[in-house]
Amino acid sequence: MRRRSLIVGAAAGIAAPVVVSGATPAAAASPDATTDPPRPRHRTWTPSNKASGLRTLPATTRQVVVVTAASWNTSYATLETFAKADGRWTAVSGALSARIGSQFFSDNHVEGTPTTPTGVYAFGPRMYGIAANPGVRYPYHQVVTDDWWDENPKSSTYNTFRHTATSPGGYSEALWKEKPAYTHFAVVTYNMAPNVPKPVPNAGSGIFLHEFSTTPSGPTAGCVSLSHADLVGVLRWLDPAAQPRIVMCPLDSIGRY
């Protein structure tokens, strides 16, 4: 989903995470981004942390990224990471400052609407970026000219990476031009396998975990964004062998998951 006209930000990075031992796709109301409520304060999820309260993660998942907002009416969010060892979830990072879509979280995200879809998702099998591999554990593709993300609902390759000299059409993004947002990014598997067998036309595409676009940070077109330092820390930490998941929702809805 295009983000150049919506992301306006890059705040100073919070410390990158350090490991400690041990959905269904329509839209929301849209005030101007400048009227967003104040940045939410971190709140603790019972019984001990947000990950400990989750009940729908695969049994084999040992890493989870939790993105929450204080309400359904803000684009300010926090991102926290947790690791599972000996059957217990422990915090890896504190609450990192994040931004979501300019029309906030939605249970009914659709193509072209700047909402961030709620739900539990995996990360795509490959990470991407305009810059060289920062040291991630996933296979990594350094973006070059003519690398696109197909966001044309009429395309047979909707919601997939494409290398082609011609735009796939629709909302498709020229990945190599999205600087600094796509310096590095991970794909969130909204409207793609394993969450759905194949992308559903118009249900939404191109949901990524990426970098703030400029300074100060602004809302996105539906993705989750972090400062450069925080993003690199999270991407390096994610391990495909741990079958990580990302949970995205307002705080009052985390009990669903």
Side-chain angles (χ1 to χ4, degrees):
M1 181 173 290
R2 288 193 183 277
R3 42 218 37 70
R4 276 175 291 180
S5 62
L6 289 167
I7 305 179
V8 292
I14 297 175
V18 177
V19 176
V20 296
S21 58
T24 6
S30 168
D32 187 271
T34 60
T35 64
D36 272 348
R39 187 182 303 274
R41 296 179 180 177
H42 173 59
R43 295 167 57 187
T44 301
W45 174 251
T46 56
S48 60
N49 57 46
K50 291 187 177 78
S52 297
L54 298 172
R55 297 289 178 264
T56 64
L57 297 176
T60 51
T61 290
R62 293 181 285 110
Q63 291 182 331
V64 66
V65 175
V66 181
V67 182
T68 54
S71 75
W72 290 88
N73 299 302
T74 180
S75 68
Y76 288 96
T78 57
L79 182 150
E80 296 164 83
T81 55
F82 302 89
K84 190 176 187 180
D86 299 323
R88 296 171 61 97
W89 287 104
T90 57
V92 175
S93 70
L96 308 176
S97 296
R99 297 302 293 270
I100 59 168
S102 63
Q103 291 187 14
F104 324 134
F105 276 122
S106 174
D107 288 339
N108 299 290
H109 177 71
V110 294
E111 190 66 60
T113 302
T115 56
T116 296
T118 56
V120 180
Y121 305 99
F123 290 96
R126 186 176 301 277
M127 292 181 178
Y128 299 85
I130 296 169
N133 187 342
V136 303
R137 306 185 202 192
Y138 278 73
Y140 186 88
H141 173 78
Q142 187 168 359
V143 169
V144 297
T145 300
D146 294 334
D147 280 351
W148 298 81
W149 199 265
D150 185 344
E151 300 183 22
N152 180 0
K154 297 179 180 180
S155 171
S156 62
T157 54
Y158 178 54
N159 203 17
T160 65
F161 171 85
R162 297 280 309 281
H163 179 76
T164 172
T166 305
S167 169
Y171 294 94
S172 296
E173 292 186 87
L175 300 176
W176 72 98
K177 295 181 179 180
E178 298 289 349
K179 301 176 181 179
Y182 292 169
T183 301
H184 309 291
F185 67 93
V187 178
V188 175
T189 62
Y190 171 78
N191 198 27
M192 47 192 307
N195 288 79
V196 294
K198 61 181 296 185
V200 177
N202 291 304
S205 59
I207 302 298
F208 305 143
L209 174 60
H210 67 74
E211 183 174 331
F212 293 148
S213 185
T214 58
T215 302
S217 65
T220 72
C223 296
V224 177
S225 63
L226 293 171
S227 72
H228 176 81
D230 288 345
L231 177 70
V232 169
V234 172
L235 297 187
R236 286 175 175 166
W237 170 73
L238 286 169
D239 183 354
Q243 298 188 40
R245 292 295 186 271
I246 183 169
V247 179
M248 307 190 296
C249 65
L251 190 55
D252 67 5
S253 297
I254 199 169
R256 299 174 179 177
Y257 309 112

